[in-house]
Amino acid sequence: MEFGILHYFSNLEPIFELVNNLLRNNGRLILTDFHPFSSKGSNYFDSNLVEEEIAFSDFLSEEDRKDIPKVLLRKWTMGEILSTLADKNMILRKLEEEPHHINSGVPAFYTIVADKTNKHRSPLIP
């Protein structure tokens, strides 16, 4: 999964349930996305849905943009993302954060590597 997928879900449970169902035991999820800290704006903990243009509209002319409906986005915190993964029997193997190219003091992207656990084993034991 990559760049700009999670914010299109108003609930993370269904997408991570689907990932869990698609992976075999010990299967691996690799997710790279925009870091919640850099995309949340002024309030990192704001859980409201916001209306914005869909990402690919940046590549359209002004004329074509007017026909594209706006979308509702939910900007998740890192804690919400990782907690939902844990609820779905996923073990976090790696969390990497990449600095923003303009302001290196804040993250721009992150990558999560997580493995589906064997259902007969505790998710706390790797």
Side-chain angles (χ1 to χ4, degrees):
M1 300 170 66
E2 64 179 304
F3 291 116
I5 182 124
L6 295 184
H7 61 254
Y8 289 110
F9 292 89
S10 61
N11 181 348
L12 291 177
E13 293 280 334
I15 186 65
F16 288 140
E17 181 70 29
L18 176 63
V19 167
N20 185 277
N21 290 337
L22 290 173
L23 290 174
R24 296 179 184 183
N25 285 336
N26 303 313
R28 179 158 287 174
L29 165 70
I30 301 173
L31 165 65
T32 299
D33 209 338
F34 299 107
H35 199 287
F37 185 80
S38 64
S39 64
K40 292 281 278 185
S42 62
N43 184 353
Y44 178 75
F45 297 101
D46 185 2
S47 62
N48 291 315
L49 294 175
V50 293
E51 185 178 65
E52 293 185 11
E53 290 186 348
I54 196 160
F56 69 79
S57 66
D58 290 345
F59 302 104
L60 301 175
S61 68
E62 281 296 320
E63 181 68 23
D64 291 335
R65 274 187 184 189
K66 69 179 184 179
D67 296 328
I68 302 292
K70 296 202 179 212
V71 294
L72 290 176
L73 304 177
R74 167 62 159 85
K75 297 183 178 180
W76 300 97
T77 66
M78 190 61 72
E80 291 167 327
I81 295 165
L82 295 175
S83 294
T84 306
L85 276 172
D87 287 344
K88 297 300 173 192
N89 296 320
M90 301 294 291
I91 293 176
L92 180 65
R93 295 292 179 200
K94 186 178 282 193
L95 170 62
E96 292 182 349
E97 299 170 290
E98 299 293 325
H100 198 279
H101 68 280
I102 295 173
N103 179 358
S104 62
V106 297
F109 309 105
Y110 69 92
T111 298
I112 290 172
V113 178
D115 293 342
K116 179 178 176 176
T117 63
N118 183 328
K119 293 185 182 213
H120 303 296
R121 200 170 69 186
S122 168
L124 300 176
I125 302 172

